[in-house]
Amino acid sequence: MQQLRTYLTGRHGQESVNVLFRLIDEIFIKSLHSVQRVMINDKHCFELYGFDIMIDSNMKPWLIEVNASPSLTASSQSDYELKFGLLHDVLHIVDMENRLCGGEKRVGGFDLMWNDGPVANDDELWDTATPHMYPTNTFLGCYNDREKQLQQLFKSLNSQQQSKPT
């Protein structure tokens, strides 16, 4: 995603690419909203979805399909690395070790975009010019050193736990 974003920025400019990725975020949110009543809501399980999105020559994203339980079989080394990182981050989000506090906006390669309403990036303000677009807490296609982010997150959580009076 980072390479795609870099390529598109070189061809179409940063503003167009920012709008494109915001529209992709909207696709994620609206498509999940449309089926939220039939989704399993059980705190003891989770579901993984894969979104296939096509971008037309006018930089408009089109949702092709959403795959429930997408294949995790790797077809190349880069595909293997992507899916291995995905599974690694999923296990951190599942948090079987109870290391997270529940207020995290980002865990590894995942960004919290919606939590009974849009979750804004701490650096963004609401865009009143385009009220249909939420200032989501997403870094889709941006550089993401997920290992460094996880280390910082767990270091911060450990220091918070140590500073709590017992």
Side-chain angles (χ1 to χ4, degrees):
M1 287 302 289
Q2 180 186 350
Q3 291 174 343
L4 174 63
R5 188 175 191 125
T6 301
Y7 170 78
L8 291 173
T9 299
R11 299 239 339 155
H12 300 281
Q14 186 165 354
E15 184 61 34
S16 294
V17 173
N18 288 345
V19 170
L20 168 69
F21 278 82
R22 278 286 174 86
L23 291 171
I24 292 172
D25 290 342
E26 290 287 314
I27 288 173
F28 297 152
I29 291 170
K30 289 178 181 177
S31 62
L32 291 172
H33 270 173
S34 71
V35 296
Q36 75 179 19
R37 293 178 194 224
V38 296
M39 293 172 71
I40 295 172
N41 188 5
D42 182 348
K43 68 178 181 177
H44 302 292
C45 65
F46 66 92
E47 183 125 22
L48 182 65
Y49 297 98
F51 288 76
D52 293 343
I53 295 175
M54 179 177 66
I55 302 168
D56 70 16
S57 60
N58 295 318
M59 296 286 287
K60 181 176 179 182
W62 295 86
L63 178 63
I64 305 300
E65 67 178 347
V66 179
N67 300 300
S69 303
S71 170
L72 295 176
T73 303
S75 58
S76 67
Q77 183 61 33
S78 61
D79 194 34
Y80 171 84
E81 291 168 8
L82 174 96
K83 291 175 178 174
F84 183 85
L86 168 89
L87 291 173
H88 189 256
D89 290 346
V90 163
L91 292 174
H92 282 294
I93 289 174
V94 171
D95 191 30
M96 293 185 293
E97 298 171 335
N98 265 348
R99 294 172 75 180
L100 303 178
C101 68
E104 295 80 11
K105 289 185 177 183
R106 191 170 198 202
V107 177
F110 287 93
D111 305 314
L112 179 62
M113 295 172 56
W114 195 270
N115 190 8
D116 291 332
V119 175
N121 180 331
D122 294 332
D123 298 332
E124 289 192 45
L125 300 174
W126 287 93
D127 183 1
T128 55
T130 53
H132 66 283
M133 294 180 76
Y134 301 110
T136 53
N137 177 55
T138 181
F139 298 91
L140 183 63
C142 296
Y143 175 74
N144 178 17
D145 186 342
R146 34 179 297 286
E147 290 296 327
K148 183 177 179 183
Q149 191 277 331
L150 286 168
Q151 288 172 355
Q152 289 174 341
L153 174 65
F154 292 137
K155 183 179 178 182
S156 170
L157 291 171
N158 286 338
S159 65
Q160 287 175 7
Q161 288 176 349
Q162 291 174 356
S163 66
K164 285 183 183 178
T166 53

